[in-house]
Amino acid sequence: MSEGLEGVIAARTVLSDVDGAQGRLVIRGYAVEDLAGRTRYEEAAHLLFDGFFDDAPSDLAAVLGEARARVFAEVGALDDGLARRDPVEAMRALLARLPDGDDLRTALLLIAAPAVFTPAVLRVAAGEAPIAPDPALSHAADILRMTRDAPVTDAEAAALDAYLVTVCDHGLNASTFAARVVASTRAGLTSSVLAGLSALKGPLHGGAPGPVIDMLDAIGTPENARPWLERALARGDRLMGFGHRIYRVRDPRADALKAAVRTLASATGAAPGRLAFAEAVEQAALEILREHKPDRPLDTNVEFYTALLLEALGLPPASFTCVFAMGRVAGWLAHAREQLAGGRLIRPQSVYVGPEVRVAA
Ligand code: ACO
């Protein structure tokens, strides 16, 4: 038995390869740092869908724009009570209203859903009306426009694209595994995506970047980093944005996102202060983790610079997990289709350690 299935291989995939020893992530033959910053999300989704949806057009931009417009009809079900819930819970509830299916039309609606529902949830929670999608815009530009109802620069759309592409797939992570387990029962793509989203929500997976901002805000100054982090570890807390099940070195996505933060800051003329502060906190955290856990290499993971990038784009920390889902959903869908195409029902076994058999009273 392997606690947490560590080291267990449970699928063959052509979608992505995570090399934890070398700190490399390859998505369908491309290193993540080559894709991020050069590829729009629509292109990355096509790369993942290729061969899994025979009717997918070579350019997904137009059909994805139409899907955003179609899925906006579901926003009518968003009442004030739902919008006041955690944004992931509200978005998940809207997503659960979509019918199950295994075809491209269902898949496109599911990619569009987090992108359209999240801005709507944020706006209704703030007492404002949701903004309808503009199918002519790129996916990333439209997400930012629906969120803030203000013009979006090319640099901002490119930064969000870099993020969405960076996180679009990542081997058999917890949410992708959950999506594949559900796909293996042939429940349908919506059910798979709901399973993935529910797994992503937890702070040990996709729920970490919001708490990274809380941590940076609580630390406040570079001088306070070491004492604050020492106290957190002494309490038994985990430092958000550090550590990974697979990577024993730095997560390559951290550097791809840090580069995107820098590019965005130079395009907008933003002061580099926040990034420099975050780097100081990161260095302090890495030193302290080395001292406290000398036997367990713990390095920066994707969530640390996710937090910085999404914050620089003006997105609220409460929405960060939803934005993660906007990117990862293409990976969940491709994995679900891959599982359907060749996989058997996923059904591991457990070791019984309960009481001996006894006679029922
Ligand atoms: N801060 C402090 N200690 C840590 C951290 C951390 N961030 N991560 C791991 N450790 C410690 C554990 O407490 C444990 O110590 P112990 O053996 O003395 O109990 C040891 O390192 C090994 O930890 P595990 O829990 O076995 O590692 P696992 O592979 O299960 O966990 C995880 C990986 C969940 C990402 C973990 O590193 C963590 O909790 N990190 C913080 C949350 C986070 O950043 N999540 C986002 C991950 S990236 C993603 O999913 C997109």
Side-chain angles (χ1 to χ4, degrees):
M1 177 180 153
S2 171
E3 285 288 352
L5 301 184
E6 182 155 5
V8 172
I9 296 171
R12 279 177 202 280
T13 184
V14 298
L15 294 166
S16 57
D17 182 30
V18 183
D19 181 338
Q22 302 297 322
R24 266 178 76 79
L25 166 61
V26 171
I27 299 176
R28 283 208 117 169
Y30 297 96
V32 69
E33 58 275 19
D34 288 342
L35 283 183
R38 292 196 194 137
T39 313
R40 281 188 299 131
Y41 183 65
E42 290 86 336
E43 295 165 317
H46 184 267
L47 185 67
L48 292 171
F49 278 16
D50 195 23
F52 295 112
F53 294 96
D54 290 341
D55 49 346
S58 57
D59 185 355
L60 286 182
V63 287
L64 192 51
E66 284 163 21
R68 289 195 303 277
R70 270 205 318 277
V71 90
F72 186 68
E74 299 293 329
V75 166
L78 181 61
D79 57 34
D80 286 346
L82 195 52
R84 274 196 300 273
R85 300 259 290 276
D86 179 307
V88 191
E89 292 180 15
M91 191 262 275
R92 190 183 56 191
L94 290 179
L95 211 146
R97 294 169 52 86
L98 300 179
D100 249 321
D102 286 324
D103 56 355
L104 179 65
R105 188 181 158 87
T106 307
L108 291 170
L109 273 187
L110 288 165
I111 294 191
V116 171
F117 295 160
T118 306
V121 167
L122 296 175
R123 288 186 63 83
V124 172
E128 292 159 332
I131 295 168
D134 178 350
L137 289 181
S138 78
H139 199 58
D142 208 16
I143 290 165
L144 291 172
R145 188 193 62 90
M146 287 186 283
T147 306
R148 58 162 93 137
D149 195 20
V152 176
T153 65
D154 288 348
E156 290 171 320
L160 184 56
D161 262 323
Y163 171 70
L164 298 175
V165 170
T166 298
V167 301
C168 71
D169 198 39
H170 198 239
L172 210 54
N173 59 86
S175 59
T176 301
F177 183 54
R180 281 189 84 123
V181 169
V182 172
S184 84
T185 73
R186 310 211 172 148
L189 294 176
T190 306
S191 298
S192 275
V193 166
L194 278 168
L197 180 62
S198 302
L200 186 77
K201 177 174 181 279
L204 299 193
H205 189 10
V212 168
I213 295 294
D214 297 339
M215 176 177 79
L216 293 177
D217 289 346
I219 291 173
T221 61
E223 303 70 51
N224 194 29
R226 232 192 124 87
W228 193 96
L229 294 165
E230 290 276 14
R231 283 198 300 275
L233 284 186
R235 280 195 305 270
D237 292 355
R238 289 183 176 213
L239 305 184
M240 291 292 135
F242 298 91
H244 199 273
R245 173 61 63 81
I246 306 290
Y247 292 120
R248 288 292 158 256
V249 293
R250 195 176 169 81
D251 182 335
R253 298 169 299 173
D255 286 328
L257 295 180
K258 190 170 168 178
V261 177
R262 279 222 175 86
T263 308
L264 179 63
S266 62
T268 59
R274 184 70 163 167
L275 181 56
F277 168 59
E279 285 175 323
V281 172
E282 181 190 12
Q283 281 320 309
L286 293 176
E287 280 167 28
I288 292 170
L289 285 170
R290 266 196 296 274
E291 290 159 20
H292 280 251
K293 304 272 173 204
D295 303 329
R296 176 86 176 180
L298 295 170
D299 215 317
T300 316
N301 67 41
V302 64
E303 303 290 40
F304 193 77
Y305 286 102
T306 288
L308 271 274
L309 183 58
L310 300 188
E311 180 186 62
L313 284 169
L315 295 163
S319 73
F320 287 178
T321 308
C322 296
V323 184
F324 195 162
M326 293 178 199
R328 183 57 58 85
V329 65
W332 293 332
L333 288 162
H335 275 272
R337 288 286 299 201
E338 187 177 51
Q339 183 67 35
L340 267 179
R344 293 180 70 201
L345 174 73
I346 297 174
R347 204 295 187 197
Q349 280 180 267
S350 46
V351 177
Y352 179 67
V353 292
E356 295 285 323
V357 177
R358 48 199 156 163
V359 177

